[in-house]
Amino acid sequence: MVNIAIFVSGSGSNCENIIRYFQTNEQVNTALVVSNRSDAYALTRAEKLNVPSVVLPKADFNNEEKVLKLMSDHRIDFIVLAGFLLMIPDWLIAAYRHRMINLHPALLPKFGGIGMYGHHVHEAVRKANETETGMTVHWVSNVCDGGEIIAQFRTPITADDTPDDIAEKEHILEMEHFPQVIEAVLKQEGLIK
């Protein structure tokens, strides 16, 4: 059994989607949801689905001993960032090398990096007059949104699409593809069959 932790900062629609996707999987267990915000709705979603959760404010999240003990206590094998807005410390990246992935709501390398999260991304896509957008799943590295790309999925956008329209189109891709990408990565890395 592979134990995954989902790191979140917001509403947690992807978090819930991932938990539900793996609920009946005999090889994958969502063992923990971690949020840096106590008001993240993702924590409510996790509670309703009987998944343990913990709040780690930024100061605690940067405490190597505390975080690694938490991961060890929950026997975490793999980490999924699903709308997590803190930078990941180098020591956690090293501890989970090729066992930590992130979802970014654009087609990297465009519209990535510091400050490119949530609605900021969709506004930048609109401002650049792009004809498509999409989602990127990538390995977490010590460069913000700079890790090796694992998978990308695209959707067309029109000149009439607002940032909200773009966000909605991109979110449909996340709901459809992110859990399957996680499962494929776990297989590729030999963590499940």
Side-chain angles (χ1 to χ4, degrees):
M1 179 70 76
V2 170
N3 286 322
I4 65 171
I6 305 173
F7 287 18
V8 295
S9 294
S11 77
S13 58
N14 273 298
C15 178
E16 179 175 341
N17 194 34
I18 294 163
I19 293 168
R20 290 188 184 283
Y21 183 83
F22 288 114
Q23 268 181 332
T24 59
N25 189 306
E26 295 179 1
Q27 298 181 82
V28 181
N29 173 47
T30 306
L32 184 65
V33 170
V34 175
S35 178
N36 61 305
R37 294 180 43 197
S38 61
D39 63 344
Y41 189 67
L43 298 168
T44 301
R45 293 179 192 265
E47 183 181 1
K48 287 180 180 177
L49 293 167
N50 299 311
V51 175
S53 64
V54 65
V55 175
L56 286 178
K58 188 173 184 176
D60 291 342
F61 185 70
N62 287 315
N63 181 322
E64 180 175 358
E65 186 177 322
K66 183 177 235 168
V67 174
L68 291 180
K69 181 178 186 318
L70 179 67
M71 296 299 106
S72 175
D73 287 349
H74 288 271
R75 300 191 314 277
I76 301 302
D77 303 299
F78 197 84
I79 297 172
V80 175
L81 308 184
F84 189 67
L85 300 182
L86 295 183
M87 286 295 295
I88 304 300
D90 288 347
W91 47 262
L92 189 56
I93 293 168
Y96 282 88
R97 179 153 178 75
H98 258 243
R99 291 187 294 141
M100 187 182 334
I101 62 174
N102 181 47
L103 168 67
H104 186 75
L107 297 169
L108 293 174
K110 290 182 176 182
F111 311 109
I114 302 290
M116 281 289 117
Y117 63 90
H119 216 61
H120 301 292
V121 174
H122 308 303
E123 289 168 354
V125 169
R126 173 70 290 140
K127 188 175 180 183
N129 294 316
E130 295 289 314
T131 58
E132 66 177 0
T133 192
M135 61 172 273
T136 302
V137 180
H138 65 91
W139 293 109
V140 175
S141 74
N142 56 5
V143 175
C144 183
D145 298 324
E148 180 187 349
I149 292 172
I150 297 166
Q152 290 185 314
F153 300 91
R154 300 166 186 272
T155 186
I157 53 177
T158 70
D160 295 330
D161 283 336
T162 66
D164 286 341
D165 296 330
I166 294 168
E168 188 175 326
K169 288 181 175 184
E170 188 276 329
H171 192 65
I172 290 168
L173 295 177
E174 295 176 2
M175 293 295 105
E176 184 178 345
H177 297 290
F178 196 25
Q180 290 92 333
V181 172
I182 296 166
E183 186 173 32
V185 169
L186 292 173
K187 287 179 180 175
Q188 172 192 308
E189 295 302 306
L191 295 169
I192 64 172
K193 293 182 181 179

